[in-house]
Amino acid sequence: MAQAGIPAQIAPTLQTEASAQGVLTALYSVAEDQGSEIASICRANADEMAASLQELGTMQTTAADLRARIQDVDAGLNRVGKAYLHHLTDWQEHSSITSRLTHSVQAVAYASKMLRTCSTISNCILTGNLSKAQQLLERTTLQWSLQGTTGLDSPRLSGSVPSRDSLGQSLGQLQPYITGCLDALGVAIQHRAISDINDWLVNVRAAAKELGMKAIKQASVIEQREKALTQQRKSHRLPLASKEDLRAAAAAVANGWLLHQSTGKPQQQHKKQAGKAPPAVATADLDLRLEEEDLLKNIDMTLLHRCIQIHIRMGRLQQFRTYMLDNRRQQLTVDLAAPVNFSEAYQGFIAQIVGFFIVEERVQAGCGEVGEGWQLNSGWEAAVATLKARLESACASFQDPAPLLSLKDFTLLGCTALGQCGYSMAPIKEVLLAARNKFHDVLGGTMTQVAARAVNEDDLHRVDVQSEADVEELQGILGLALQLDVDSKHQLSAAASLHLPCQAPFTSMVPEAMRITHSFVESSIGFLSGLVSSAELVPLARQHRDRMLAKVVVEALQHAVDEPGPTGSNPLPRAMQLVTNISTFMHSLPHLDEFTTLAARGDLQAGWHKHAPGSSRRGLPSALAKATPVVPVVAPASPHLGKKKDSRKQMKVEVSAPSHSLAPHPTHSMTGAVGALAAFQAVQGSSEAQLLRLLVDKASAILEAAKHLNWLPDQPPRTALGHSAYIQDVLPFLKDTLALASRMLPLDAYNRLAHGTFGFLNEWMMNLVTGDAVPAFNMYGLFRLADDLASIQALADASQPAALAVRMAEVVQTCTLLVTGRLEEIVDPAQQSRKYPAVQLDRLSEVLTKFREIGDKASSSGHHLFGNSKQPASFLKKQTVDQVIRQLQRPIR
C-alpha cells in the first residue's frame, strides 16, 4: 500500500539507492509535497466548515429539550405499569391452577381407557382369542408409547394431547403400573400361544398313527383303483378284439360310453367279460376323494398359524422356530424308539413315522416362516437310517414268507404315502429289494417241505381225469399234457378227443409241484411288485422261479430217482413213471414261462383261467399255443465203445440216441427257463440212466448164463428154438420191458431207452467174447452165438424205432465175419468200410486170439476138451486166423 503512493520519479532512485539516507531524503520530500496539498484544500473549504459548526450547535440545544420531555412521559408510564403488573400476576396464578386441573382430568381419563383396554385384552386371552388380543395390545402399546390420546373413543378428549412430562406428572404411580400391565399382557399372550402350541404338538403326536394309517389306506385305495382300472381296460378290449373293422370297434366303444352316461350301468356284455363294472371304479374314486378330504381333519393347523403370526408381530419368530424344532425332534426321537417286538408291532411304528412326516410336509407347505429347511432339520435322515436298520433286522429274522411279504407290502404303501408328499423313499426301497433273496430263500424253504411231501407221498399211480373241469385245471391252467408225445399245437384238439374218464400220463406229484411253482411265482411277483420296474419284473421273477425249480422241485425229483423202490417190487415201472413225470415237467416249461409273464403283467384274471377244452386259448398269445414241447437233446453214444483193452473188464452204459431222432422242433424256443431247463435235463438224464441201469442189472443177471456154456463144442448147436437157453429168458424180458416203456414213456425217452438197451447188449456180447469168461471158442460156438444174435436182432427189428438194430452192429458184423469164413476181407480197407464199418480192429484181434479149430486137443487153458472130432474143410482155419492177427497187429507195432 505504501508503494502505491510513491511518485514515479523517485522509484528509480529507491530502486537504485541502497543506503538509508537516500530513503529518508526521499520521504521528506514527499511529506512536504503532501502538506502543501492539504493546506490548499483547507483554504478552499473554510466557509462550508464554519456553517456546519453552527448547525451542530443548534441541534444540541434541540436535543436537550426533547430529553426533558421524555423523562416526564416515562414517569407517567411507570405509574400505570405498576398497576397493570399487579393484575397480571393474579391472572397468571389462576390460569396455572386451571391448567393443572385440566391435565389431571385428561390423564385420569386416559389411564382409565388404558386399564379398560388391558381388561379387554385379558378377557381375549382368557377366551383364547389371541389374535384380537395381540391386535389390541399392539395398538394400545403404540398409543402408550406416544403418550397421547390419539385414537381414543372420547370426542371431548380428542383435541388435547398432553405432553410426556405433564402426563407423567399427572399420572404419578399409574404410569409404571400401566406400563407393567402392558408388558405382562404381552408375556401372557406369548405363554398362552406356547401353551396352545404344546397342546397342538401333543394332539399331533397322538393323531400321527391314525393319520399314518389313513395315508397308507389311501395309498392302498389308489393302488387297488389302478389295478381295477387296468383290469377294466383289459376286459373292455375283449369285445373289441372280435371286431374286424375299426369303425365297428369305435362304434361299440361309443355305444357303451353313451349307455353308461345315460343309465350309469355298463353294457351287459361288458358285465359278463369284465371283472368289475365301471360304476365300481367310480365308487372307488368317490371314496378316495373322501379319504383325501378327511385325511387331516383332526389336525387343526389354525393354532400353529396363529402362534406363528403372534411371534412374528412380537419379533420372536426365530425363538419360536427353535422351540418348535426342538420339540419335534424330541417327539421324533420317541417315535423312532424301537418297539419291543418290531416283527409284530411294525405297522404302528411305520404308521407313526408316516403320520409324523405328513404333518411335517403340511407345516413346510403351509407355514413357510417356520417351515424353511424343515425337512432337513426335522430328522428325516435319522428316520430313514433308523427305519432301514429296523427293516434289515426284521427281514433277517423272519423265517416265514407270509409276514415278510406283509411287512414289504405295508412298508411299500407307507413309502407311497410319503412319496406323494415329496420325500425320497429310494433308501427304504433298496432295503426291501435287498431282502428279496431272503424272502425267496424262506419261501423256497417252505416250498421244499411241501414239494418233498408231495413227491414222497406220491404212490406213482397215474392221475385220474374224471371231468372237463379236471382237463381245464391240468391242461389249461397248469399246462400239463394229458397225452404223451402231443405237442402244444395239438394239445387242445387232443384234449377235445379224450374219452373221459381217463388217466393222465403223470402222477400226482406233477400237478402238485406245478401248483407249488405257480404259488411261488405269484408270491415272488407279489414281493417284487413295486420294488422294480415292469421291464425288470419278468426277468427277476423268472430268475427266482428257475432257482426255486432247480433247488426245490429238481432236488425232490432227484431224491425220488435216487431212492430205491419198495422191497420186492419191480423197480422198472416206478423208474419209467419218474422219467415220464420229469418229461412232463419239461414240456410244461413254455406254459410256465407264459404264466410268469402274465402274472407279472397282472393278466391272469383277464383270460388265463378262461381256457376251455376244444376252444382257442383265450388270454394267451398265439406263440404259446403254437410252441412245441421241450425235447431234451442228449449227445449220441460213440460207435466205438471200449477201444481200450481194459474196457472189456467193465461194462460201460450210456443213455443216448442218434442226434437226428431227438432234435427239437425248429420252431421251438425257450425264453426265460434256460436255468430250469438245464436242471430238468440233468435230472431227466439221471432218471433215464437209473432206468437203464435197472434194466441192465436185470438183463445182466439173465445173461450170466451165457458165461457157463460150452464154447468149444464138437457138434453143431441143436436147439428147437434156434438159440440158447439164456436167450429164451432174456428175450421175453426185453420184449415186455420195451412194450411197457412204449406205453409209459414219452417217445424221446423211449427211444433213448431202446437204443441204450441194445447198445448194452452189443457191449455185453463183445465183452463176453473178449473177456476172461470165455477163454476159447470154435466155429460151433460161433454158430450158436450167431443164432442168439439173430434172435436179438429180430427183436430189434420188430421194435421201434427202426434203427435199433444198428446198436448191435459191432457184435453182429464181427460174428458174421467169422462164421462166413471170409476173414481176409477185414484186411482190405475197401471191404472193411463197405461190409464191416462197425468192427473195431483191436477188439477183433482179441476175439481172434481165442479162436480154436474143431478137433483141437487143448484149449487155451491146456485142458484136452475133444476127442477125434475134426473141423470141416469149409470152416475158418487157424492158420488164416493167425495170418489176419499178424496183419491186424502190424500197424500197431
Side-chain angles (χ1 to χ4, degrees):
M1 294 296 293
Q3 292 180 358
I6 298 175
Q9 59 269 21
I10 70 171
T13 303
L14 291 176
Q15 295 176 356
T16 58
E17 291 182 0
S19 63
Q21 186 65 35
V23 174
L24 292 175
T25 303
L27 291 174
Y28 287 148
S29 176
V30 172
E32 289 178 358
D33 292 339
Q34 294 295 327
S36 299
E37 290 180 3
I38 294 171
S40 61
I41 292 173
C42 288
R43 284 192 298 270
N45 297 314
D47 294 337
E48 293 179 1
M49 293 177 62
S52 298
L53 289 174
Q54 186 178 0
E55 289 178 0
L56 180 62
T58 303
M59 290 178 64
Q60 288 178 346
T61 302
T62 303
D65 294 339
L66 289 175
R67 187 181 299 110
R69 291 177 184 177
I70 290 172
Q71 289 177 352
D72 294 339
V73 172
D74 288 339
L77 289 175
N78 286 332
R79 290 192 297 270
V80 176
K82 288 181 180 179
Y84 278 106
L85 179 61
H86 178 72
H87 291 294
L88 179 60
T89 302
D90 293 340
W91 180 82
Q92 287 178 343
E93 291 179 357
H94 181 270
S95 297
S96 175
I97 294 172
T98 304
S99 177
R100 287 197 297 270
L101 288 175
T102 302
H103 289 167
S104 298
V105 171
Q106 292 178 349
V108 170
Y110 184 74
S112 176
K113 182 66 175 180
M114 291 292 106
L115 292 176
R116 286 196 301 270
T117 305
C118 291
S119 177
T120 303
I121 296 173
S122 178
N123 292 332
C124 292
I125 295 173
L126 292 177
T127 57
N129 193 355
L130 298 183
S131 298
K132 183 178 180 180
Q134 180 66 23
Q135 292 176 0
L136 288 175
L137 180 62
E138 288 179 357
R139 187 174 64 180
T140 304
T141 304
L142 179 62
Q143 294 172 358
W144 183 252
S145 64
L146 295 177
Q147 297 290 336
T149 58
T150 302
L152 296 179
D153 296 334
S154 176
R156 64 185 182 87
L157 298 176
S158 60
S160 60
V161 181
S163 65
R164 180 186 299 272
D165 296 336
S166 63
L167 184 60
Q169 294 174 0
S170 300
L171 290 177
Q173 297 298 324
L174 283 178
Q175 183 178 13
Y177 175 77
I178 294 176
T179 302
C181 288
L182 294 176
D183 294 339
L185 288 174
V187 174
I189 291 175
Q190 181 182 359
H191 287 177
R192 179 58 187 268
I194 293 298
S195 176
D196 290 345
I197 211 64
N198 288 336
D199 295 339
W200 182 83
L201 290 171
V202 172
N203 294 333
V204 164
R205 184 175 185 274
K209 182 181 293 186
E210 181 181 358
L211 176 61
M213 285 294 185
K214 284 185 177 180
I216 292 173
K217 179 182 177 182
Q218 177 178 316
S220 177
V221 169
I222 294 175
E223 181 179 351
Q224 295 300 324
R225 183 186 64 177
E226 292 298 328
K227 290 181 179 179
L229 290 173
T230 301
Q231 293 298 332
Q232 187 183 41
R233 286 193 296 268
K234 292 176 181 177
S235 63
H236 284 178
R237 282 200 297 266
L238 294 178
L240 299 181
S242 60
K243 303 292 184 181
E244 297 181 356
D245 187 4
L246 293 179
R247 295 181 178 179
V253 173
N255 292 335
W257 182 82
L258 292 175
L259 182 61
H260 173 62
Q261 292 295 323
S262 60
T263 62
K265 296 181 180 180
Q267 295 183 9
Q268 190 66 24
Q269 59 177 354
H270 289 185
K271 275 188 177 182
K272 295 180 180 179
Q273 296 168 351
K276 289 186 178 180
V281 179
T283 304
D285 290 342
L286 178 59
D287 296 338
L288 180 59
R289 288 194 296 271
L290 293 176
E291 289 291 337
E292 290 175 348
E293 293 175 358
D294 298 337
L295 188 59
L296 294 173
K297 66 178 181 180
N298 295 329
I299 307 300
D300 186 7
M301 303 297 291
T302 305
L303 294 175
L304 180 60
H305 287 287
R306 185 176 66 186
C307 191
I308 292 174
Q309 295 302 319
I310 289 173
H311 282 81
I312 289 176
R313 291 183 176 182
M314 297 176 67
R316 297 179 58 84
L317 180 61
Q318 185 60 39
Q319 292 84 343
F320 175 70
R321 180 188 291 116
T322 303
Y323 177 81
M324 279 290 297
L325 291 178
D326 290 341
N327 279 273
R328 291 298 277 167
R329 285 196 192 97
Q330 294 176 6
Q331 288 187 350
L332 182 60
T333 302
V334 175
D335 292 342
L336 293 179
V340 178
N341 190 348
F342 181 81
S343 300
E344 297 180 358
Y346 67 86
Q347 292 189 357
F349 180 79
I350 295 175
Q352 185 75 28
I353 294 178
V354 171
F356 180 91
F357 284 102
I358 286 178
V359 175
E360 297 302 289
E361 188 273 337
R362 178 59 61 89
V363 171
Q364 185 178 8
C367 305
E369 299 84 357
V370 76
E372 183 179 358
W374 187 275
Q375 180 174 348
L376 179 62
N377 296 329
S378 61
W380 171 247
E381 294 180 356
V384 170
T386 302
L387 186 56
K388 286 176 60 177
R390 301 286 180 267
L391 290 175
E392 290 173 353
S393 176
C395 292
S397 63
F398 277 122
Q399 298 301 324
D400 187 359
L404 184 55
L405 181 59
S406 299
L407 172 62
K408 171 262 172 184
D409 289 339
F410 192 85
T411 305
L412 196 60
L413 289 174
C415 291
T416 303
L418 289 177
Q420 294 173 354
C421 298
Y423 293 97
S424 175
M425 306 308 301
I428 305 301
K429 292 184 178 181
E430 290 176 358
V431 174
L432 296 177
L433 185 59
R436 69 181 187 275
N437 291 332
K438 172 66 175 180
F439 172 79
H440 288 96
D441 289 342
V442 174
L443 182 62
T446 304
M447 298 299 178
T448 299
Q449 300 176 1
V450 179
R453 184 167 57 251
V455 173
N456 295 334
E457 294 179 356
D458 189 0
D459 56 2
L460 294 180
H461 290 164
R462 294 191 167 185
V463 174
D464 293 326
V465 182
Q466 302 290 342
S467 62
E468 292 185 358
D470 295 339
V471 177
E472 164 69 13
E473 180 187 7
L474 295 174
Q475 182 168 294
I477 298 177
L478 301 180
L480 303 176
L482 297 181
Q483 291 183 344
L484 293 176
D485 306 313
V486 177
D487 59 16
S488 300
K489 184 177 180 180
H490 302 92
Q491 281 185 10
L492 297 177
S493 59
S497 63
L498 288 175
H499 298 286
L500 301 178
C502 63
Q503 280 189 336
F506 46 81
T507 62
S508 62
M509 70 170 66
V510 177
E512 286 299 325
M514 193 57 66
R515 293 187 188 100
I516 292 171
T517 305
H518 281 197
S519 176
F520 180 91
V521 169
E522 291 177 351
S523 299
S524 175
I525 291 174
F527 188 87
L528 295 174
S529 297
L531 299 179
V532 297
S533 64
S534 57
E536 299 172 327
L537 182 57
V538 174
L540 272 179
R542 288 180 174 178
Q543 176 185 352
H544 288 290
R545 179 207 64 194
D546 293 346
R547 183 165 169 255
M548 186 279 296
L549 287 174
K551 187 176 181 180
V552 176
V553 178
V554 171
E555 287 186 2
L557 293 173
Q558 185 64 54
H559 178 73
V561 170
D562 298 337
E563 184 181 13
T567 305
S569 61
N570 185 5
L572 290 175
R574 178 181 182 275
M576 292 179 185
Q577 188 59 61
L578 287 175
V579 172
T580 302
N581 288 350
I582 297 171
S583 179
T584 304
F585 268 116
M586 296 180 65
H587 283 67
S588 66
L589 290 181
H591 192 278
L592 186 57
D593 264 355
E594 192 64 25
F595 173 84
T596 304
T597 302
L598 294 181
R601 295 174 181 172
D603 291 344
L604 289 182
Q605 296 180 357
W608 181 267
H609 300 292
K610 300 298 183 182
H611 164 246
S615 62
S616 61
R617 186 173 293 186
R618 291 175 289 177
L620 298 182
S622 59
L624 179 63
K626 296 180 179 179
T628 56
V630 182
V631 180
V633 179
V634 181
S638 172
H640 306 291
L641 294 176
K643 288 186 178 180
K644 297 182 180 180
K645 291 186 178 181
D646 58 351
S647 63
R648 65 180 184 270
K649 302 295 183 180
Q650 182 179 2
M651 184 179 302
K652 296 183 179 180
V653 178
E654 287 195 20
V655 182
S656 57
S659 58
H660 63 82
S661 64
L662 298 178
H665 196 278
T667 61
H668 168 66
S669 62
M670 284 296 297
T671 57
V674 177
L677 177 61
F680 276 109
Q681 284 179 338
V683 72
Q684 185 191 39
S686 176
S687 64
E688 292 182 2
Q690 176 69 10
L691 173 60
L692 182 57
R693 191 176 302 110
L694 293 173
L695 188 150
V696 165
D697 291 344
K698 195 159 186 179
S700 297
I702 300 174
L703 294 173
E704 283 293 323
K707 297 180 180 180
H708 306 290
L709 295 177
N710 182 11
W711 288 91
L712 295 171
D714 55 356
Q715 298 293 329
R718 297 184 180 90
T719 58
L721 299 177
H723 48 244
S724 304
Y726 72 94
I727 294 296
Q728 299 178 19
D729 296 332
V730 77
L731 287 180
F733 167 73
L734 295 177
K735 183 177 181 181
D736 294 342
T737 302
L738 292 177
L740 179 63
S742 66
R743 295 192 302 270
M744 294 188 65
L745 296 178
L747 181 59
D748 53 352
Y750 168 77
N751 290 339
R752 287 190 290 271
L753 178 65
H755 280 278
T757 300
F758 288 96
F760 150 73
L761 293 175
N762 178 80
E763 286 296 310
W764 197 95
M765 290 297 182
M766 288 301 300
N767 290 335
L768 176 67
V769 296
T770 59
D772 297 336
V774 179
F777 55 84
N778 57 20
M779 288 298 296
Y780 291 148
L782 289 176
F783 288 154
R784 184 180 61 216
L785 178 61
D787 293 339
D788 295 343
L789 292 177
S791 301
I792 297 176
Q793 194 169 12
L795 175 63
D797 293 337
S799 303
Q800 293 294 331
L804 285 178
V806 177
R807 305 308 301 269
M808 298 286 295
E810 182 182 5
V811 66
V812 171
Q813 292 177 14
T814 301
C815 187
T816 302
L817 178 66
L818 295 176
V819 299
T820 56
R822 295 189 293 269
L823 187 59
E824 296 84 353
E825 293 180 351
I826 197 64
V827 297
D828 183 3
Q831 295 289 339
Q832 177 191 359
S833 61
R834 184 171 62 87
K835 294 182 178 181
Y836 313 107
V839 175
Q840 300 183 37
L841 299 182
D842 54 346
R843 298 177 74 173
L844 176 62
S845 179
E846 294 180 8
V847 173
L848 294 178
T849 56
K850 297 184 179 184
F851 177 75
R852 300 291 184 268
E853 291 186 2
I854 298 175
D856 192 350
K857 298 298 182 181
S859 67
S860 61
S861 62
H863 297 287
H864 294 274
L865 301 176
F866 305 108
N868 298 324
S869 299
K870 196 172 183 179
Q871 179 173 288
S874 60
F875 286 4
L876 189 63
K877 305 299 183 184
K878 179 63 175 173
Q879 182 180 1
T880 304
V881 172
D882 293 339
Q883 292 177 358
V884 172
I885 291 176
R886 285 193 296 269
Q887 293 182 15
L888 292 176
Q889 293 178 350
R890 186 178 300 119
I892 300 176
R893 296 175 183 176

